[in-house]
Amino acid sequence: MRNAFSSVLCLLLLCVGVVVAPAQILEVPVDPVEPGEFVTIPVSGLTDTEISRAVLDWEPHDGVQVIPVKTWGGQAMIFFKAPSQAASKYALILAWPLSATEVGYEKAYVVVEGENGPDPQPDPEPDPDPEPGPLAKMSLIVVEETRDRTPQQAQILLDPTLRTWLKNNGHQIHLIDKDQPAEGLKDWIALTDNVLPHLFIVDSGGGKPVWDGPLPTTQEAMRELCKEWGAEK
């Protein structure tokens, strides 16, 4: 899945026949999101070949972060974050080749509502370093060198007990190979300081890491760390 400018996408659609997706491909949030909120949008119903050749665009462009990724389990998704000064609606446009003469196409909208900009009357004595509580939506981002993964590290990353707990409580895990990062994810690699495998615990609602460091060395330590930061339903 690649990013594209609107002009390139429009040219592609003008040159071939357009087939509107028969079912929802972009699973955008049903409820409005807040300005600056970091959300994940699953992409479903496409083959691996269609995903690899798909073109993604969005409008308006200014200040928006849109990152197409694929999880370790093969789920394609889009990381989306509207700027703090947000428009009321953002369009995500996905096109993928069906044949030499036809292109699949879907346009979906992310609605953004909430306060824009800083509080006009901030607290005169705000807490300079508030303690974050358990995250309602937590994303684990692991940067690794896949070919150097040890059996012990594989047990930690693929731990079925941990995976079940994450899924049941609305959390996610994403694995990034430092030599083959998905488009837009190179920034995470730069933050590791070459300490691999490296774990980032990210608030999915805000898109910022709340913890990072070397991957825990045991399944038990990894589970405890996740339960410390992630809320349980």
Side-chain angles (χ1 to χ4, degrees):
M1 197 186 317
R2 296 166 292 151
N3 293 349
F5 294 105
S6 295
S7 57
V8 176
L9 186 57
C10 289
L11 180 62
L12 173 65
L13 297 177
L14 287 172
C15 293
V16 297
V18 177
V19 178
V20 178
Q24 185 178 17
I25 301 296
L26 298 172
E27 300 178 20
V28 296
V30 176
D31 298 323
V33 301
E34 295 184 359
E37 181 179 356
F38 183 87
V39 296
T40 56
I41 301 171
V43 180
S44 61
L46 299 184
T47 66
D48 288 343
T49 300
E50 289 170 336
I51 286 289
S52 66
R53 300 172 65 188
V55 177
L56 174 67
D57 197 8
W58 60 94
E59 54 187 23
H61 284 86
D62 292 346
V64 181
Q65 296 182 36
V66 178
I67 307 172
V69 300
K70 181 176 283 189
T71 68
W72 182 256
Q75 170 67 56
M77 61 178 54
I78 298 166
F79 289 172
F80 173 89
K81 182 180 179 183
S84 296
Q85 297 289 342
S88 59
K89 183 185 291 187
Y90 289 84
L92 291 175
I93 306 148
L94 187 67
W96 61 96
L98 296 173
S99 67
T101 58
E102 291 186 327
V103 168
Y105 173 86
E106 180 171 85
K107 187 173 187 179
Y109 293 92
V110 179
V111 178
V112 180
E113 294 181 358
E115 295 295 331
N116 289 328
D119 186 347
Q121 294 182 338
D123 187 342
E125 296 182 359
D127 185 351
D129 190 20
E131 286 292 329
L135 304 176
K137 292 184 179 181
M138 174 179 68
S139 291
L140 307 179
I141 298 177
V142 179
V143 181
E144 61 172 341
E145 174 56 82
T146 304
R147 64 186 177 185
D148 293 338
R149 183 192 291 174
T150 66
Q152 184 178 18
Q153 291 168 351
Q155 289 180 341
I156 296 169
L157 296 174
L158 305 179
D159 178 8
T161 300
L162 176 62
R163 294 282 181 137
T164 299
W165 182 87
L166 292 171
K167 181 178 180 180
N168 290 344
N169 290 286
H171 307 308
Q172 298 177 338
I173 183 169
H174 310 284
L175 306 183
I176 303 172
D177 188 319
K178 78 174 188 67
D179 294 327
Q180 296 179 335
E183 187 174 352
L185 293 182
K186 292 183 179 180
D187 289 346
W188 292 108
I189 298 173
L191 295 175
T192 66
D193 293 328
N194 293 319
V195 177
L196 301 178
H198 202 99
L199 170 65
F200 297 91
I201 297 179
V202 179
D203 180 357
S204 298
K208 296 181 179 179
V210 297
W211 186 95
D212 78 275
L215 183 74
T217 56
T218 66
Q219 289 178 320
E220 291 74 16
M222 181 70 166
R223 294 171 190 170
E224 289 179 4
L225 182 62
C226 291
K227 290 182 179 181
E228 177 183 347
W229 286 101
E232 295 190 76
K233 292 183 179 178

